[in-house]
Amino acid sequence: MDFYATLFELIDMRSFSNLWYWIALAVLWSTASHFVLGVPFDLAQKARRQGGERMEELEAMVRINIGRLLNIAEVSGLLITALVATVITVLGVTGFVYGAEFSQAVFLMAFPMTLVALLNLRTARRIAAQAPRGEALVALLRRHRLFVQIIGMLSIFVTAMWGMYQNIATGPLGG
């Protein structure tokens, strides 16, 4: 057996057996749960503990980020929705109907993130309508983060189960 065959057997280049895919999945969900509506969650915790100027900074950052998010949704929401729906559909069909493992892997990352994007939009609209301040704002951000983490845990579980199934079904070298 030559060097390249040994190397590619050791480092499988398929999506679900590739270590880089799992690292990217972990980074994706870690980042998604850390940045709540674009605001680092540790800022919300510091604002809750220290209050005063920290809370004002948090409220300003949230106001700016939800303004941007709602503006994007209003100006180009229909176009973004159509584009995302098309990409998700193409990934789903090529992955699960035609069996392209790469499409399956990207779909299992992208589809749950669309749910997070919808949750972000819903929470942004709620904050814009209610204009919570102080502790109420932090509680809303905390609840939003919990829902993102639940989506992330379910997504990682489903992806791990599907990835293990693919690895068992296709064997060590994809055949």
Side-chain angles (χ1 to χ4, degrees), residues 107-167:
F107 177 88
L108 289 170
M109 290 174 84
F111 179 72
M113 288 307 294
T114 61
L115 300 177
V116 170
L118 291 173
L119 185 64
N120 284 344
L121 189 58
R122 179 176 157 247
T123 304
R125 285 189 174 138
R126 185 173 179 189
I127 291 172
Q130 296 176 354
R133 299 183 54 90
E135 197 66 40
L137 177 62
V138 174
L140 194 60
L141 293 176
R142 189 179 312 127
R143 187 171 39 255
H144 176 84
R145 182 176 189 234
L146 175 67
F147 288 134
V148 170
Q149 288 175 330
I150 290 170
I151 293 169
M153 286 187 298
L154 290 173
S155 171
I156 290 169
F157 177 76
V158 168
T159 303
M161 292 297 111
W162 185 256
M164 282 189 281
Y165 168 74
Q166 286 295 345
N167 288 335

Side-chain angles (χ1 to χ4, degrees), residues 55-114:
M55 187 61 77
E56 290 173 11
E57 291 172 356
L58 173 70
E59 291 169 353
M61 284 187 73
V62 169
R63 189 177 61 252
I64 290 167
N65 285 340
I66 68 165
R68 290 180 64 235
L69 182 62
L70 293 175
N71 184 48
I72 290 169
E74 183 180 320
V75 171
S76 54
L78 185 62
L79 180 65
I80 291 172
T81 301
L83 181 65
V84 168
T86 301
V87 169
I88 294 294
T89 302
V90 167
L91 288 171
V93 169
T94 59
F96 297 103
V97 174
Y98 294 110
E101 189 174 314
F102 179 76
S103 294
Q104 293 171 2
V106 175
F107 177 88
L108 289 170
M109 290 174 84
F111 179 72
M113 288 307 294
T114 61

Side-chain angles (χ1 to χ4, degrees), residues 9 12 14 17 101 163-175:
E9 187 174 331
D12 197 352
R14 293 176 301 151
S17 14
E101 189 174 314
M164 282 189 281
Y165 168 74
Q166 286 295 345
N167 288 335
I168 290 169
T170 59
L173 291 177

